[in-house]
Amino acid sequence: KQEVTQIPAALSVPEGENLVLNCSFTDSAIYNLQWFRQDPGKGLTSLLLIQSSQREQTSGRLNASLDKSSGRSTLYIAASQPGDSATYLCAVRLGGNNRLAFGKGNQVVVIP
Amino acid sequence: EAGVVQSPRYKIIEKKQPVAFWCNPISGHNTLYWYLQNLGQGPELLIRYENEEAVDDSQLPKDRFSAERLKGVDSTLKIQPAELGDSAVYLCASSLSGRSYNEQFFGPGTRLTVL
């Protein structure tokens, strides 16, 4: 069974610092990996999707890397802002079906 | 373009009562998912539809949960009877199959409280 782990569970950073969020998974036979953002009481917003054949994806201040062989992905958020405060969830799509296996999330607070 | 729509947003019921949630996916998305999210946890898949067909329902507690997607568009998830442990957020998502990456898009969820 695919296990997805996100460390740290929670972190606070001062505004302007770069954020680094880690995701690890136990089975490297993934189809793709998706990073989501979830605000309190809200649904999930897709941030980036990395195909298994890709090493990284970028969108604005966000950059996500994927090292499939070691079962790791990292989400970088440059120059963090208070509006980046949210929970960030990593999910891997298992090969052969559309099921996503999620981590528990990184709860981020950016302090003004 | 409208996103995934869910209703109601919040529901409070007493245990043993029935409850139903409704989801309308993004227009044109043929794959629809229902997820359960407990507090502090990531979502867990309950059921996945490809058009009208439920192709992955292995994690749906079939003794009390049921779902339908009769016309391959919107879907309803039902719990009867509800138990205290069913209190959670129920998320609906959709994607367009056939694309190589099947990016999933989520609705705002329905927060269920069972008293």
Side-chain angles (χ1 to χ4, degrees), chain B residues 10-76:
Chain B
Y10 305 92
K11 190 73 177 178
I12 301 175
I13 61 171
E14 294 191 347
K15 63 180 181 181
K16 300 185 181 180
Q17 294 300 305
V19 64
F21 315 125
W22 177 81
C23 171
N24 191 274
I26 291 172
S27 178
H29 281 194
N30 55 328
T31 306
L32 184 146
Y33 316 76
W34 282 103
Y35 288 88
L36 165 70
Q37 186 177 26
N38 287 305
L39 189 64
Q41 305 291 316
E44 297 179 2
L45 182 70
L46 290 172
I47 189 168
R48 172 170 67 94
Y49 282 92
E50 296 286 346
N51 301 303
E52 302 90 354
E53 184 181 1
V55 297
D56 186 354
D57 63 355
S58 58
Q59 300 191 111
L60 187 73
K62 298 182 183 63
D63 57 336
R64 297 184 300 108
F65 286 64
S66 64
E68 60 182 15
R69 192 185 186 200
L70 295 176
K71 297 183 180 179
V73 180
D74 57 349
S75 175
T76 302

Side-chain angles (χ1 to χ4, degrees), chain A residues 48-108:
Chain A
L48 290 166
L49 183 148
I50 311 176
Q51 292 278 65
S52 62
S53 59
Q54 297 175 321
R55 300 284 291 185
E56 65 176 350
Q57 278 287 344
T58 299
S59 176
R61 294 185 295 115
L62 277 60
N63 175 277
S65 65
L66 174 64
D67 185 342
K68 201 172 81 161
S69 61
S70 66
R72 293 179 183 175
S73 176
T74 301
L75 178 66
Y76 299 88
I77 304 178
S80 61
Q81 303 170 359
D84 295 329
S85 298
T87 297
Y88 293 83
L89 291 153
C90 163
V92 296
R93 179 184 162 193
L94 308 179
N97 61 54
N98 287 339
R99 184 180 292 196
L100 289 179
F102 282 84
K104 294 182 180 181
N106 305 108
Q107 186 174 7
V108 171

